[in-house]
Amino acid sequence: MKAPRVTLDQWRTLQAVVDHGGFAQAAEALHRSQSSVSYTVARMQDQLGVPMLRIDGRKAVLTEAGEVLLRRSRQLVKNASQLEDLAHHMEQGWEAEVRLVVDAAYPNARLVRALTAFMPQSRGCRVRLREEVLSGVEELLMEGVADLAISSFSIPGYLGTEMSDVEFIAVAHPEHALHRMNRELSFQDLESQMQVVIRDSGRQQPRDVGWLGAEQRWTVGSLATAAAFVGSGLGFAWLPRHMIERELAEGVLKQLPLEQGGSRHPTFYLYSNKDKPLGPATQILVELLRTFDTAPLDAPFAAPQQA
């Protein structure tokens, strides 16, 4: 890549001339001599080979090319300043990245709200979000791949912060054979039908959470795929209510009338990497995750304005 001929200082100088209305005003704002400002801008125009300013009376006015280049330069200077700020924050212990691993059944709406609120406070810290299923979250936390993890499992050796629960309900298509029985359903009724289960993304000790030992079982890779299969009449499944509200309202899915166990409410927990102290950005994110975990999913929410 060819090295740039124009420096950030030159772009900042040009911006000052335009923003303050002239060379003398820019020199005062930059605490430099007017001759230094004039030379910097003239040198930049020579280097670029494009006239940036023209004199209109006693005022320096941007040319058409100057307007385009100045507009692009503002983002360049802003990015450079943010990079320097990030380096300063990292020197003070501020993290460059937080790795968050979440069980796919946890409501995305809560994550979106927490991460939206985190953005203007992040100081350039990135969030690497990864979704896993069941024991996949536990494995990544224990392997040190995650800084924070949200799981419905009690993970040995970790003290989790209790969060809200997620309601799973047993559903099938309204025309499924189970609904056509027109009565409360028993465990034996379910055993004779095909159950759709979600594959555990863990590799070491995958679990068959929720499987009833049905004669037929189809295993899929995501909750969304399971909902699509069941909504097409292929079997029954326990799915998070918050993910299928629309299908329930539109009559694509219908809750099964079970004698017992038709609704489950596993509690979720927020864990942190016990081998790595929480940095300031991670601590802020933890508080936001806890705050928005208790907010109603249908409550109005406005994203905060970035500074």
Side-chain angles (χ1 to χ4, degrees):
M1 182 181 296
K2 185 171 65 174
R5 290 175 290 180
V6 178
T7 67
L8 290 173
D9 178 68
Q10 288 174 301
W11 286 119
R12 289 190 181 102
T13 303
L14 176 65
Q15 291 172 15
V17 171
V18 174
D19 294 343
H20 294 283
F23 290 94
Q25 298 90 327
E28 183 178 352
L30 296 172
H31 305 290
R32 292 164 58 178
S33 67
Q34 183 174 338
S35 60
S36 172
V37 171
S38 299
Y39 174 78
T40 298
V41 174
R43 174 65 175 160
M44 180 172 62
Q45 293 185 104
D46 289 341
Q47 289 171 311
L48 292 173
V50 177
M52 307 284 287
L53 297 170
R54 59 181 175 82
I55 303 302
D56 187 357
R58 301 179 61 182
K59 189 174 182 181
V61 179
L62 283 169
T63 63
E64 185 175 339
E67 289 182 358
V68 174
L69 294 173
L70 181 68
R71 186 168 59 249
R72 295 287 296 271
S73 76
R74 291 190 187 280
Q75 188 61 44
L76 176 68
V77 172
K78 181 181 177 180
N79 289 342
S81 296
Q82 290 176 341
L83 187 62
E84 292 172 1
D85 288 343
L86 178 58
H88 173 68
H89 297 318
M90 290 174 65
E91 182 185 12
Q92 295 180 324
W94 197 270
E95 308 93 299
E97 179 179 86
V98 177
R99 300 165 300 172
L100 173 62
V101 180
V102 181
D103 189 293
Y106 187 77
N108 272 335
R110 292 175 181 155
L111 291 176
V112 168
R113 293 179 175 196
L115 293 175
T116 301
F118 176 71
M119 189 181 300
Q121 305 180 58
S122 65
R123 302 186 189 180
C125 175
R126 300 177 302 175
V127 176
R128 187 183 296 272
L129 177 62
R130 180 167 171 174
E131 283 191 331
E132 295 289 333
V133 177
L134 299 173
S135 70
V137 178
E138 177 181 348
E139 283 188 11
L140 292 180
L141 180 65
M142 299 184 74
E143 291 170 0
V145 176
D147 300 311
L148 298 174
I150 297 178
S151 172
S152 62
F153 288 162
S154 177
I155 301 179
Y158 288 81
L159 292 175
T161 299
E162 184 172 325
M163 301 181 77
S164 60
D165 58 37
V166 172
E167 182 185 15
F168 284 72
I169 57 174
V171 292
H173 188 276
E175 299 301 321
H176 190 275
L178 289 170
H179 282 300
R180 292 202 300 269
M181 293 181 182
N182 294 317
R183 58 173 173 80
E184 282 193 332
L185 303 174
S186 66
F187 174 80
Q188 287 72 26
D189 292 325
L190 298 182
E191 276 190 316
S192 64
Q193 300 294 325
M194 184 178 75
Q195 182 179 357
V196 178
V197 297
I198 294 83
R199 179 180 60 83
D200 189 330
S201 62
R203 303 178 306 277
Q204 298 178 12
Q205 294 181 321
R207 307 175 190 181
D208 287 323
V209 175
W211 181 47
L212 296 179
E215 293 180 4
Q216 301 181 69
R217 176 177 72 166
W218 282 14
T219 302
V220 298
S222 71
L223 290 162
T225 301
F229 275 36
V230 176
S232 298
L234 298 173
F236 70 94
W238 270 266
L239 297 171
R241 182 185 287 275
H242 69 86
M243 293 186 65
I244 56 172
E245 289 287 4
R246 178 182 298 178
E247 289 82 353
L248 290 170
E250 294 176 351
V252 176
L253 293 174
K254 183 178 179 181
Q255 186 169 359
L256 291 171
L258 299 183
E259 293 175 350
Q260 57 182 4
S263 177
R264 301 169 178 170
H265 298 78
T267 299
F268 281 72
Y269 297 88
L270 175 62
Y271 295 96
S272 61
N273 188 329
K274 65 180 181 179
D275 298 320
K276 179 181 177 182
L278 294 182
T282 307
Q283 292 181 44
I284 291 173
L285 184 54
V286 165
E287 290 306 311
L288 291 172
L289 288 169
R290 294 176 62 184
T291 296
F292 288 100
D293 175 71
T294 57
L297 292 177
D298 57 353
F301 172 70
Q305 297 297 316
Q306 291 195 51

